[in-house]
Amino acid sequence: MNRQTLCLPLIFFALILPATHAFAASRHAHLGPANKPSVNPAASIRIAPGHILVKLDAAADVPAFLSHAKKQGLQKHGRLYGSNWYTLSLPAKASPRAAAARARHLPGVMMATVDPVVRIDQIPPRDPLYRDDDDPLTKCIPGYDPGCEDLDAVDQWGLFKVGAEDAWNITTGSSSVVIAVLDSGVDLDHDDLIDKIWTNPGEVEGDGIDNDGNGLIDDVHGADFVGDNPGDPLTDEPSSQDGDPDIPEGVWEPAAELFTFTGTFTGDPSVGDGLDNDGDGLPDLGVFHGTAVAALAAAMTDNLTVELPGDYEYEGMAGACPDCKIMPVRMVNAEGGGFGSDAAAAIYYATDMGADVLNLSWGFDLDELDSVGFSEVAVITDAINYAVSNGVIVVASAGNSGGEAVRFPAAMVSTLAVGASNWLDQRSPFSSYAPAGEIPDNGLDDDGNGRIDDVLDVVAPGEAIWSG
């Protein structure tokens, strides 16, 4: 099995463990500059260059709208799963923002906006691993630190830190509880997850028919709203979306030199091509992310590897909720990016298919949106409001900027915003934190940044967390 270390909030502890084991966020801690950075949204937010999003009124005459849109050079590209949002293709070299502004005047249009690119919140795989000992100051990075033991020394300190065994004495979850991992897909054959994957009761596997009539064929174990795009989300092709969220297991080959973050992922070409498509210096970094998140949530316990009859041993790791089910919904590509419209479609899908919890390890820095307001993320806001109105718990990463700003959608009042702590019970340096002047849950914008109750709800072990 290919295992990775991640810097991710271990958010599922907040859902199943007693309150006495939760790590409360400091609402008034001030660990950085109070002034927000001045950011040019047009330069900071990556958007789809070839299409825009349009939300139509429920009573709109769609053919009439499309006829008027065609006169502006706009062509129907697709419809967002479960919603009245449409994607419209643009003429060559057209400005998406200008096209969206014109489209707002078309008949039946409630909103028109660009399609922003989301990024998963993760730290590259250079974060400290640790040894299985009692002294947290001796934790080291295998392969980097001289004399540091190999990966066999790694443990799951986070489970012990939050008192998981006390919770498991009460409950280990239930197969009726479905956690939707909206991420980069999941390796459905993973040794620790193979018996934990949700199955769509309305679909017949392999018959090539959309049995449940939801618009996706053979979505037996989830859905894929990214499709065959291996890299840059700007080249995403909606027509390649399908009902298969599987990410076949591969091997991450790191660079030969230490402290360089290049390498290749060997596996299915649709989930990685070994190239740095988005120019961040980390080729195919998103490939393993969804599988690792799923394992943190619900990896099996007491599962065995049998080499020969009578020759077996326990293997793998333990998930926080080992009896829960995982619904994989792929909306992030191999490089770790995806359109906001793909994210929204994943939220609608998971909600409609019966998920109880949505895990969102991605988002936007809100300061990048200030000059245009929240219209550019309205497609995601609509989807989250839909999920919450249907009783779904939405858990979102606070972000990895290390600054005083909770990212969207974690900053929404209706989501559970989670930050990261380390083995010393300290806020992880990369973890975003709440504005110092904001008072939680009073319905007011106390710090005057234009956002209501943008605070952390919980901080949980999220640094050097072993998963895989």
Side-chain angles (χ1 to χ4, degrees), residues 331-354:
M331 40 70 59
V332 172
N333 65 27
E335 294 287 351
F339 287 130
S341 55
D342 292 337
I347 293 169
Y348 283 116
Y349 175 86
T351 301
D352 287 350
M353 301 311 290

Side-chain angles (χ1 to χ4, degrees), residues 421-437:
S421 62
N422 62 21
W423 53 88
L424 297 175
D425 288 348
Q426 300 168 338
R427 179 183 65 85
S428 297
F430 59 81
S431 184
S432 303
Y433 55 95

Side-chain angles (χ1 to χ4, degrees), residues 2-18:
N2 180 33
R3 297 187 178 276
Q4 304 286 345
T5 51
L6 301 178
C7 279
L8 291 169
L10 200 48
I11 57 179
F12 302 98
F13 292 149
L15 302 179
I16 68 168
L17 297 185

Side-chain angles (χ1 to χ4, degrees), residues 329-416:
V329 188
R330 186 169 181 250
M331 40 70 59
V332 172
N333 65 27
E335 294 287 351
F339 287 130
S341 55
D342 292 337
I347 293 169
Y348 283 116
Y349 175 86
T351 301
D352 287 350
M353 301 311 290
D356 299 288
V357 180
L358 308 186
N359 178 79
L360 317 179
S361 296
W362 42 264
F364 301 90
D365 289 324
L366 285 166
D367 288 317
E368 297 178 359
L369 302 172
D370 278 353
S371 69
V372 293
F374 285 87
S375 65
E376 294 192 351
V377 293
V379 65
I380 299 175
T381 301
D382 278 1
I384 289 177
N385 288 339
Y386 175 76
V388 172
S389 70
N390 280 276
V392 178
I393 298 172
V394 181
V395 186
S397 165
N400 287 347
S401 70
E404 188 185 73
V406 178
R407 301 187 85 191
F408 173 89
M412 291 179 63
V413 176
S414 56
T415 64
L416 183 64

